[in-house]
Amino acid sequence: MIKFVLSKLGYGLLVLWGVVTLVFFLFNLSPSDPARNLVGESASEEVVQAIRKKLDLDLPMHHRYFLYLNDLSPLSFYNRVDSSSRRFFIEERYSGFEILPLGDHAIYLKKPYLKRSFLSDRSVSEILGDVMPGTILLAICSIGGALLVGLLFGVVAALNKDTWIDRSLLFLSALGMAGPSFFVAILVAWIGAVLWRDAIPLPFTDATLPGTGLNMTGSLHSVNAFSGEYLDLKNMILPLITLMIRPLAVITQLTRSSLLDVLGQDFIRTAYAKGLSVRRIVLKHALRNALNPVVTAVSGWFASLLAGAVFVEFVFGWKGLGQELFNAIEKQDLPVVMGGVITIAFAFVMISILVDLIYGWLDPRIRS
Amino acid sequence: MKFVLPFALIALLLGCQSNLPDESNVFFYNENNSITTLDPAFARDLEIMWATNQLFDGLVEFDKDLNLIPCIAKSWKVSEDGRAYTFNLRNNVRFHPSPLFSNPEERYVTAQDFVYSFRRIVDPALASPGAWIFDKINDPLENGFQAPNDTTLIIQLKEPFHPFLSILTMQYCNVVPKEVVEHFGPDFRSNPIGTGPFKFAFWYEGTSLVFHKHISYWQTDSSGITLPYLDGIKIDFIKDVAVEYQNFLLGNYDFISGIHPAYKDELLTPKGELNAQFESKINFYKTPFIKTDYLGFYLGENTSASTMKALQDVRIRKAIELSINKEEMVRYLKNNTVVAANQGFIPPALLHSPQLHNEYNPQKAQDLLTEAGFPKGQGLPEIPLAATADYADLLEYMQHQLALNGIKISINILQGPTLREASAKGTLPVFRKSWLADYPDAENFTGLFLKKNFSPDGPNYTHFFNENIEALYAKSNSGLPDSSRLECFAAINELVASEVPVIPLYYDQVTHFVSPKIMDWEINPINMIDLKKVKKIH
């Protein structure tokens, strides 16, 4: 088992390195000059040069690439004496320690350093630390919710095969799959936060349907102009609904078909013959065997949600990785783009390891 | 347990509506572009300037009609040779409280603070994008700025430069306290201390930025009440314009700026007036902006391609301009919220020229094409026109209009930074750009046609060179009275219109949609927002 995880980790590292290299060179090949973009047309060449130096843009590309890799790697090589060197180990920047001195230089163990944003001069780790909680929470809740409801729908549909219940659930899930997320997001925002924001009087009665009182936009935290930031979970409702619709539809259909498949097999008939209750048969025997395709679909979905749901974050103004990355690409803020991409690649690698472990648990045959 | 969890979650969701402090006297607005810094030394973009203008003050400022009025400087005088400016400063201006001051509440601004702030701007180590504004100062790091006492500031110029006082209104010239700047270094961007009507409160980057009232601000209204009237300002950062607009209609924002396709046709009639249904709900303000949108032709050395060669001929360039019906374009695509540019490159807000240039005249365009050897556009290579995606509709309109005269256009949509870079390098034959004046003086617009400003080291993207323009520019700077200076600029405007290195498309307008709860809103041609005199009904 440990060997399996280690080999996966090694493979993951290789993937990360590939991603870093590819993105680094792709972005640096683009013709724009970040230093000039920062200061504008009126600035003198002297100022532009000063910025190039500050951002290491005066170095040749391969040199910058190695500096970047060195900054990124937890095991790294720095100068320990000459503070004017670009490879000088700055304590407060890298927060690590020396493990092997080699003359003027030394090998250090440190946290990966992702540099500072070109645009705002803010540390990239800080920016990512700021946006990740929103993205992670949204991803976990939407997939978790979709999984709970989707499994339920799938089981109900399978057990009531070819009845009106099955048909209507299938119809709804087809509808859910058909809606593109940018359209669904706007629709949900419009219905939830505009049409149904205030109470709606019900026709033919005096009663009113209480309004949602939801805002069109908002993040995990809202800000009061005097007391500052506070947790505002109701902002999560609309983006969550939007994000849940498609995985919910997929999970419902996958669970239904996979469960029907399993329910037709011999061991289920045996279980019935033994006199087990339907509930026990479905939950204990059939569902566990039917879950493999669901896990595959959900894990891929979850990983891509960790990369940020760009459209949904955009429409609901939800502060998350997708939106941050989108802005950074638009503004060609290379360090933020690199940091974001590395984070996403890291999440994918971790999830793929996790999924392999779950497969093993679901289906012992895979473990051997 | 399984069943308790969802209920607990719902309870938690609803339980969050606790009692929050009252925000009824706070001004709310949204910013689609991100604010990257609150350090005035880096206030290059309008969204940053709007924020720093609330936090900081400078020596002088503009009123709504662009007259210079005193700010921290009570009065000033210019020496006879036009090279020395002496400012007499107020002695009652306090910085926002900071524990870094020896007396946190009572740190008064002195002339030394201005000397420090100005030298900081030119310091190459800071790499401020505004370093160029003091190019005209004689020895800026030593004797250029002097403070003989706490309330006197002397600035020495190399040569007379008429727009210098206008330059001093720029955000770069705001006063900052040395103790705080040196303590925070680069993080002064998020820990700003100034003297402005509002002080920095907190900033959750990407979500909200909040300023609170500076209770010991120096300025009072005519009845002696200390400004500002508002308790605070809250800026949100929602990228989506349609969502921002919906929130404005819901009353969550007090103001939105500019015309966007997402709401233009709902708010405005084709004539550019507010739709009747919104008359009681929204106040609409507009005024000319000192910004010109234009098409530029690259005329520099790097002109090997055949399209580039054809465009070297002024008759072709003029034929293109004459084929575009700017009036119609502005009416249908911009709901007349901008003004068709028929008075040359310098906007009428800065240079009133009654004469019209290169008006729509397809017949004359045909004649010019024939004269240049391309009758009805035959043999003329397809001309690639580059712009960002925001202007795709404009380009498509022009493509259609030019096709009617046989001039074929291909549309090349680029990302902002790529367009900027490519046009600076001279690899685009035709590109759409706009010029927003750094300071409100016609002189700033003529800079686009001077040899010393050839891109990438200046804004002359067309690499257009004309000796007469150089001479007129030099003459305008020789200490002439105002009216003669404007004559020089008018002559430059004429020369540009006859040589057509650029086709001015339209003069932009400042357009603000403001909630009726907001009183005493003012707009100005530099599109600066000043909230110190604004009131909110609550």
Side-chain angles (χ1 to χ4, degrees), chain B residues 32-95:
Chain B
N32 315 116
N33 298 307
S34 47
I35 289 181
T36 49
T37 176
L38 293 171
D39 184 342
F42 297 94
R44 190 165 78 88
D45 301 314
L46 203 58
E47 57 272 13
I48 303 176
M49 293 182 204
W50 283 359
T52 56
N53 194 41
Q54 317 308 327
L55 296 174
F56 297 91
D57 282 328
L59 289 170
V60 287
E61 61 185 353
F62 282 121
D63 68 5
K64 69 175 171 36
D65 303 314
L66 295 189
N67 300 308
L68 272 170
I69 54 170
C71 188
I72 294 181
K74 263 194 292 196
S75 62
W76 58 89
K77 67 174 194 284
V78 187
S79 67
E80 295 227 333
D81 63 0
R83 286 168 41 183
Y85 287 71
T86 308
F87 294 89
N88 181 18
L89 310 188
R90 292 175 205 279
N91 58 7
N92 62 338
V93 178
R94 267 173 286 195
F95 280 112

Coordinates of all heavy atoms in Angstrom, one line a residue, chain B residues 32-95:
Chain B
N32 N -15.5 47.2 -11.3 CA -15.3 46.0 -12.1 C -13.8 45.7 -12.2 O -13.4 44.5 -12.3 CB -15.8 46.1 -13.5 CG -17.2 46.8 -13.5 OD1 -17.3 47.8 -14.1 ND2 -18.1 46.1 -12.9
N33 N -13.0 46.7 -12.2 CA -11.6 46.5 -12.3 C -11.0 46.3 -10.9 O -11.5 47.0 -10.0 CB -10.9 47.6 -13.0 CG -11.4 47.8 -14.4 OD1 -11.4 46.9 -15.2 ND2 -11.9 49.0 -14.7
S34 N -10.0 45.5 -10.8 CA -9.5 45.4 -9.4 C -8.6 46.6 -9.1 O -7.9 47.1 -9.9 CB -8.7 44.1 -9.3 OG -7.8 43.9 -10.4
I35 N -8.6 46.9 -7.8 CA -7.7 48.0 -7.3 C -6.5 47.2 -6.8 O -6.6 46.3 -6.0 CB -8.4 48.8 -6.2 CG1 -9.5 49.6 -6.8 CG2 -7.4 49.6 -5.4 CD1 -10.3 50.5 -5.9
T36 N -5.3 47.6 -7.4 CA -4.1 46.8 -7.0 C -3.3 47.5 -5.9 O -2.5 46.8 -5.3 CB -3.2 46.7 -8.2 OG1 -3.1 47.9 -8.8 CG2 -3.8 45.7 -9.2
T37 N -3.5 48.8 -5.7 CA -2.8 49.5 -4.6 C -3.5 50.7 -4.2 O -4.3 51.2 -4.9 CB -1.4 49.8 -5.2 OG1 -0.7 50.6 -4.2 CG2 -1.5 50.7 -6.5
L38 N -3.2 51.2 -3.0 CA -3.8 52.4 -2.5 C -2.7 53.4 -2.3 O -2.9 54.5 -1.7 CB -4.5 52.2 -1.2 CG -5.8 51.4 -1.4 CD1 -6.4 51.0 0.0 CD2 -6.8 52.1 -2.2
D39 N -1.5 53.1 -2.8 CA -0.4 54.0 -2.7 C -0.5 55.0 -3.9 O -0.5 54.6 -5.1 CB 0.9 53.2 -2.9 CG 2.2 54.1 -2.7 OD1 2.1 55.3 -2.8 OD2 3.3 53.5 -2.4
P40 N -0.6 56.3 -3.6 CA -0.8 57.3 -4.7 C 0.3 57.3 -5.7 O 0.1 57.7 -6.8 CB -0.9 58.6 -4.0 CG -0.4 58.4 -2.6 CD -0.6 57.0 -2.3
A41 N 1.5 56.8 -5.3 CA 2.7 56.8 -6.2 C 2.4 55.8 -7.4 O 3.1 55.8 -8.4 CB 3.9 56.5 -5.5
F42 N 1.4 54.9 -7.2 CA 1.2 54.0 -8.3 C -0.3 54.1 -8.8 O -0.8 53.2 -9.4 CB 1.4 52.5 -7.7 CG 2.8 52.3 -7.3 CD1 3.2 52.5 -6.0 CD2 3.7 51.9 -8.3 CE1 4.5 52.3 -5.7 CE2 5.0 51.7 -7.9 CZ 5.5 51.9 -6.6
A43 N -0.8 55.3 -8.6 CA -2.2 55.5 -9.0 C -2.3 55.9 -10.5 O -2.4 57.0 -10.9 CB -2.8 56.7 -8.2
R44 N -2.1 54.9 -11.3 CA -2.1 55.1 -12.8 C -3.4 55.0 -13.4 O -3.7 55.6 -14.4 CB -1.1 54.1 -13.4 CG -0.8 54.5 -14.9 CD 0.4 53.7 -15.3 NE 0.1 52.3 -15.6 CZ -0.3 51.9 -16.8 NH1 -0.4 52.7 -17.8 NH2 -0.5 50.6 -17.0
D45 N -4.3 54.1 -12.8 CA -5.6 53.8 -13.4 C -6.7 54.6 -12.7 O -6.6 54.8 -11.5 CB -5.8 52.3 -13.4 CG -4.8 51.5 -14.1 OD1 -4.4 52.0 -15.3 OD2 -4.2 50.5 -13.6
L46 N -7.7 54.8 -13.4 CA -8.8 55.6 -12.9 C -9.4 55.0 -11.6 O -9.7 55.7 -10.7 CB -9.9 55.7 -14.0 CG -10.8 56.9 -13.8 CD1 -10.1 58.2 -13.8 CD2 -11.9 56.9 -14.9
E47 N -9.5 53.7 -11.6 CA -10.1 53.1 -10.4 C -9.3 53.3 -9.2 O -9.8 53.4 -8.1 CB -10.4 51.6 -10.6 CG -9.3 50.7 -11.0 CD -9.0 50.6 -12.5 OE1 -9.6 51.5 -13.2 OE2 -8.2 49.8 -13.0
I48 N -8.0 53.3 -9.4 CA -7.1 53.6 -8.2 C -7.2 55.0 -7.8 O -7.2 55.4 -6.6 CB -5.6 53.2 -8.5 CG1 -5.6 51.7 -9.0 CG2 -4.7 53.4 -7.4 CD1 -4.2 51.2 -9.4
M49 N -7.2 55.9 -8.8 CA -7.3 57.3 -8.6 C -8.5 57.7 -7.8 O -8.5 58.5 -6.9 CB -7.3 58.1 -9.9 CG -6.0 58.1 -10.6 SD -6.2 59.1 -12.1 CE -5.1 58.4 -13.2
W50 N -9.7 57.0 -8.1 CA -10.9 57.3 -7.4 C -10.7 57.0 -5.9 O -11.2 57.7 -5.1 CB -12.1 56.5 -8.0 CG -12.6 57.0 -9.2 CD1 -12.2 58.1 -9.9 CD2 -13.7 56.5 -10.0 NE1 -12.9 58.3 -11.0 CE2 -13.8 57.3 -11.1 CE3 -14.5 55.4 -9.9 CZ2 -14.8 57.0 -12.1 CZ3 -15.5 55.1 -10.8 CH2 -15.6 55.9 -11.9
A51 N -10.1 55.9 -5.6 CA -9.9 55.5 -4.2 C -8.9 56.4 -3.5 O -9.1 56.9 -2.4 CB -9.4 54.1 -4.2
T52 N -7.7 56.7 -4.2 CA -6.7 57.5 -3.5 C -7.2 58.9 -3.3 O -6.8 59.6 -2.4 CB -5.4 57.5 -4.2 OG1 -5.6 57.9 -5.6 CG2 -4.7 56.1 -4.2
N53 N -8.1 59.4 -4.2 CA -8.5 60.8 -4.1 C -9.3 61.0 -2.8 O -9.4 62.1 -2.3 CB -9.4 61.1 -5.3 CG -9.7 62.6 -5.4 OD1 -8.8 63.4 -5.2 ND2 -10.9 63.0 -5.7
Q54 N -9.9 59.9 -2.3 CA -10.7 60.0 -1.0 C -9.7 60.0 0.2 O -10.0 60.5 1.2 CB -11.7 58.9 -0.8 CG -12.5 58.5 -2.1 CD -13.1 59.7 -2.7 OE1 -13.6 60.7 -2.0 NE2 -13.2 59.7 -4.0
L55 N -8.6 59.4 0.0 CA -7.6 59.2 1.1 C -6.6 60.3 1.3 O -6.0 60.5 2.3 CB -6.9 57.8 1.0 CG -7.8 56.6 1.0 CD1 -6.9 55.4 0.7 CD2 -8.4 56.4 2.4
F56 N -6.2 60.9 0.1 CA -5.1 61.8 0.1 C -5.5 63.2 -0.4 O -6.5 63.3 -1.1 CB -4.0 61.2 -0.8 CG -3.4 59.9 -0.3 CD1 -3.9 58.7 -0.7 CD2 -2.4 59.9 0.6 CE1 -3.4 57.5 -0.2 CE2 -1.8 58.7 1.1 CZ -2.4 57.5 0.7
D57 N -4.6 64.2 -0.1 CA -4.8 65.5 -0.6 C -3.4 65.9 -1.2 O -2.4 65.4 -0.8 CB -5.1 66.5 0.5 CG -6.5 66.5 0.9 OD1 -7.4 66.2 0.1 OD2 -6.8 66.7 2.1
G58 N -3.5 66.9 -2.2 CA -2.3 67.4 -2.7 C -2.3 68.9 -2.5 O -3.0 69.5 -1.6
L59 N -1.4 69.6 -3.2 CA -1.3 71.1 -3.0 C -2.5 71.8 -3.6 O -3.0 72.7 -2.9 CB 0.0 71.6 -3.8 CG 1.3 71.2 -3.2 CD1 2.4 71.5 -4.2 CD2 1.5 71.9 -1.9
V60 N -2.9 71.4 -4.8 CA -4.0 72.1 -5.4 C -5.0 71.1 -6.0 O -4.6 69.9 -6.1 CB -3.5 73.0 -6.6 CG1 -2.8 74.2 -6.1 CG2 -2.6 72.2 -7.5
E61 N -6.2 71.5 -6.3 CA -7.1 70.6 -7.0 C -8.0 71.3 -8.0 O -7.9 72.5 -8.1 CB -8.0 69.8 -5.9 CG -8.8 70.8 -5.1 CD -9.6 70.0 -4.0 OE1 -9.5 68.8 -4.0 OE2 -10.2 70.7 -3.2
F62 N -8.8 70.6 -8.8 CA -9.7 71.2 -9.7 C -11.1 71.3 -9.1 O -11.5 70.4 -8.4 CB -9.7 70.4 -11.0 CG -8.6 70.5 -11.9 CD1 -7.8 69.4 -12.2 CD2 -8.3 71.8 -12.4 CE1 -6.7 69.6 -13.1 CE2 -7.2 71.9 -13.3 CZ -6.4 70.8 -13.6
D63 N -11.8 72.3 -9.5 CA -13.2 72.3 -9.2 C -13.9 71.7 -10.4 O -13.3 71.2 -11.3 CB -13.8 73.7 -8.9 CG -13.7 74.6 -10.1 OD1 -13.4 74.2 -11.2 OD2 -14.1 75.8 -9.9
K64 N -15.3 71.6 -10.4 CA -15.9 70.9 -11.4 C -15.8 71.5 -12.8 O -16.0 70.8 -13.8 CB -17.4 70.7 -11.1 CG -18.3 71.9 -11.1 CD -19.7 71.5 -10.9 CE -20.7 72.6 -10.7 NZ -20.5 73.8 -11.4
D65 N -15.4 72.7 -12.9 CA -15.2 73.4 -14.2 C -13.7 73.4 -14.6 O -13.3 74.2 -15.4 CB -15.8 74.8 -14.2 CG -17.3 74.7 -13.9 OD1 -18.0 73.8 -14.4 OD2 -17.7 75.5 -13.0
L66 N -12.9 72.6 -13.9 CA -11.5 72.6 -14.2 C -10.7 73.9 -13.9 O -9.7 74.2 -14.5 CB -11.2 72.1 -15.6 CG -11.6 70.7 -16.0 CD1 -11.0 70.4 -17.4 CD2 -11.1 69.7 -15.0
N67 N -11.2 74.7 -12.9 CA -10.4 75.8 -12.4 C -9.6 75.3 -11.3 O -10.1 74.5 -10.4 CB -11.4 76.9 -11.9 CG -12.3 77.4 -12.9 OD1 -11.8 77.8 -14.0 ND2 -13.6 77.4 -12.7
L68 N -8.3 75.7 -11.2 CA -7.5 75.3 -10.1 C -7.9 76.0 -8.8 O -8.1 77.2 -8.8 CB -6.0 75.7 -10.4 CG -5.2 74.7 -11.2 CD1 -3.9 75.4 -11.6 CD2 -4.9 73.5 -10.4
I69 N -8.1 75.2 -7.8 CA -8.4 75.8 -6.5 C -7.5 75.3 -5.4 O -6.8 74.3 -5.6 CB -9.9 75.5 -6.1 CG1 -10.2 74.0 -6.1 CG2 -10.9 76.2 -7.0 CD1 -11.5 73.6 -5.5
P70 N -7.3 76.1 -4.3 CA -6.4 75.7 -3.3 C -6.8 74.4 -2.6 O -8.0 74.1 -2.5 CB -6.4 76.8 -2.3 CG -7.1 78.0 -3.0 CD -8.0 77.4 -4.0
C71 N -5.8 73.6 -2.2 CA -6.1 72.5 -1.3 C -5.3 72.6 -0.1 O -5.6 73.5 0.7 CB -5.9 71.2 -2.1 SG -6.5 69.7 -1.2
I72 N -4.2 71.9 0.0 CA -3.3 72.1 1.2 C -2.5 73.4 1.0 O -2.2 74.1 1.9 CB -2.4 70.9 1.4 CG1 -3.2 69.6 1.8 CG2 -1.3 71.1 2.4 CD1 -2.4 68.4 2.0
A73 N -2.3 73.8 -0.3 CA -1.6 75.1 -0.5 C -2.7 76.1 -0.4 O -3.7 76.1 -1.1 CB -1.0 75.1 -1.9
K74 N -2.5 77.1 0.5 CA -3.5 78.2 0.6 C -3.4 79.1 -0.6 O -4.4 79.6 -1.1 CB -3.2 79.0 1.9 CG -4.0 78.6 3.1 CD -3.9 79.7 4.2 CE -2.5 79.7 4.7 NZ -2.4 80.5 6.0
S75 N -2.2 79.4 -1.0 CA -2.0 80.3 -2.1 C -0.7 80.0 -2.8 O 0.1 79.2 -2.2 CB -2.0 81.7 -1.7 OG -0.9 81.9 -0.7
W76 N -0.4 80.5 -4.0 CA 0.9 80.2 -4.6 C 1.2 81.4 -5.6 O 0.3 82.1 -6.0 CB 0.8 78.9 -5.4 CG -0.3 78.9 -6.5 CD1 -0.2 79.3 -7.8 CD2 -1.6 78.4 -6.3 NE1 -1.4 79.1 -8.4 CE2 -2.3 78.5 -7.5 CE3 -2.3 77.9 -5.2 CZ2 -3.6 78.2 -7.7 CZ3 -3.6 77.5 -5.3 CH2 -4.3 77.7 -6.6
K77 N 2.5 81.5 -5.9 CA 2.8 82.5 -6.9 C 3.9 81.9 -7.8 O 4.7 81.1 -7.3 CB 3.2 83.8 -6.3 CG 4.4 83.9 -5.4 CD 4.7 85.3 -5.0 CE 6.1 85.6 -4.5 NZ 6.2 85.1 -3.1
V78 N 3.9 82.4 -9.0 CA 4.9 81.9 -10.0 C 5.8 83.1 -10.3 O 5.4 84.2 -10.5 CB 4.2 81.5 -11.3 CG1 5.1 80.8 -12.3 CG2 3.0 80.6 -11.0
S79 N 7.1 82.8 -10.3 CA 8.1 83.8 -10.6 C 8.0 84.4 -12.0 O 7.3 83.7 -12.9 CB 9.5 83.3 -10.4 OG 9.8 82.3 -11.4
E80 N 8.6 85.6 -12.2 CA 8.4 86.2 -13.6 C 8.9 85.4 -14.7 O 8.3 85.3 -15.8 CB 9.2 87.6 -13.5 CG 8.6 88.5 -12.6 CD 8.4 89.9 -13.2 OE1 9.1 90.2 -14.1 OE2 7.4 90.6 -12.7
D81 N 10.0 84.7 -14.5 CA 10.6 83.8 -15.6 C 9.8 82.5 -15.7 O 10.1 81.7 -16.6 CB 12.1 83.6 -15.4 CG 12.3 82.8 -14.1 OD1 11.4 82.4 -13.4 OD2 13.5 82.5 -13.8
G82 N 8.8 82.3 -14.9 CA 7.9 81.1 -15.0 C 8.6 79.8 -14.5 O 8.1 78.7 -14.8
R83 N 9.7 80.0 -13.8 CA 10.5 78.7 -13.4 C 10.4 78.4 -12.0 O 10.8 77.3 -11.6 CB 11.9 78.9 -13.9 CG 12.0 78.7 -15.4 CD 13.3 79.1 -16.0 NE 14.5 78.7 -15.2 CZ 15.7 79.0 -15.5 NH1 16.0 79.6 -16.6 NH2 16.7 78.6 -14.7
A84 N 10.0 79.3 -11.1 CA 9.9 79.0 -9.7 C 8.5 79.2 -9.2 O 7.9 80.2 -9.4 CB 10.9 80.0 -8.9
Y85 N 8.0 78.1 -8.5 CA 6.7 78.1 -7.9 C 6.8 78.1 -6.4 O 7.5 77.3 -5.9 CB 5.9 76.9 -8.4 CG 5.5 76.9 -9.8 CD1 6.4 76.8 -10.8 CD2 4.1 77.1 -10.1 CE1 6.0 76.8 -12.2 CE2 3.7 77.1 -11.5 CZ 4.6 76.9 -12.5 OH 4.2 77.0 -13.8
T86 N 6.2 79.1 -5.8 CA 6.3 79.2 -4.3 C 4.9 79.0 -3.7 O 3.9 79.7 -4.1 CB 6.8 80.5 -3.8 OG1 8.0 80.8 -4.5 CG2 7.0 80.5 -2.3
F87 N 4.7 77.9 -2.9 CA 3.4 77.6 -2.3 C 3.4 78.0 -0.8 O 4.4 77.7 -0.1 CB 3.1 76.1 -2.5 CG 3.0 75.7 -3.9 CD1 4.1 75.3 -4.7 CD2 1.7 75.7 -4.5 CE1 4.0 74.9 -6.0 CE2 1.6 75.3 -5.8 CZ 2.7 75.0 -6.6
N88 N 2.3 78.6 -0.4 CA 2.1 78.9 1.0 C 1.1 77.9 1.5 O -0.1 77.8 1.1 CB 1.6 80.3 1.1 CG 1.4 80.7 2.5 OD1 1.9 80.1 3.4 ND2 0.6 81.8 2.7
L89 N 1.5 77.0 2.5 CA 0.7 75.9 2.9 C -0.1 76.2 4.1 O 0.2 77.0 4.9 CB 1.6 74.6 3.2 CG 2.6 74.2 2.2 CD1 3.2 72.9 2.6 CD2 2.0 74.1 0.8
R90 N -1.2 75.5 4.3 CA -2.0 75.6 5.5 C -1.2 74.9 6.6 O -0.5 73.9 6.4 CB -3.3 74.8 5.3 CG -4.3 75.4 4.4 CD -5.5 74.5 4.2 NE -6.1 74.8 2.9 CZ -6.9 75.8 2.6 NH1 -7.2 76.6 3.6 NH2 -7.3 76.0 1.4
N91 N -1.5 75.4 7.9 CA -0.8 74.7 9.0 C -1.7 73.9 9.8 O -1.4 73.4 10.9 CB -0.1 75.8 9.9 CG -1.1 76.8 10.4 OD1 -2.3 76.6 10.2 ND2 -0.6 77.8 11.0
N92 N -3.0 73.7 9.3 CA -4.0 72.9 10.1 C -4.4 71.6 9.5 O -5.4 71.1 9.8 CB -5.2 73.8 10.4 CG -5.9 74.1 9.1 OD1 -5.3 74.1 8.0 ND2 -7.2 74.5 9.1
V93 N -3.5 71.1 8.6 CA -3.9 69.8 8.0 C -3.2 68.6 8.7 O -2.0 68.6 8.8 CB -3.4 69.8 6.5 CG1 -3.8 68.5 5.8 CG2 -4.1 71.0 5.8
R94 N -4.1 67.7 9.2 CA -3.6 66.6 9.9 C -3.6 65.3 9.1 O -4.6 65.1 8.4 CB -4.4 66.4 11.2 CG -3.9 67.1 12.4 CD -4.8 67.0 13.5 NE -6.0 67.8 13.3 CZ -6.8 68.2 14.3 NH1 -6.7 67.7 15.5 NH2 -7.8 69.0 14.0
F95 N -2.6 64.4 9.3 CA -2.7 63.1 8.7 C -3.7 62.3 9.5 O -4.0 62.6 10.7 CB -1.3 62.4 8.8 CG -0.3 62.9 7.7 CD1 0.8 63.6 8.0 CD2 -0.6 62.5 6.4 CE1 1.7 64.0 7.0 CE2 0.3 62.9 5.4 CZ 1.4 63.7 5.7

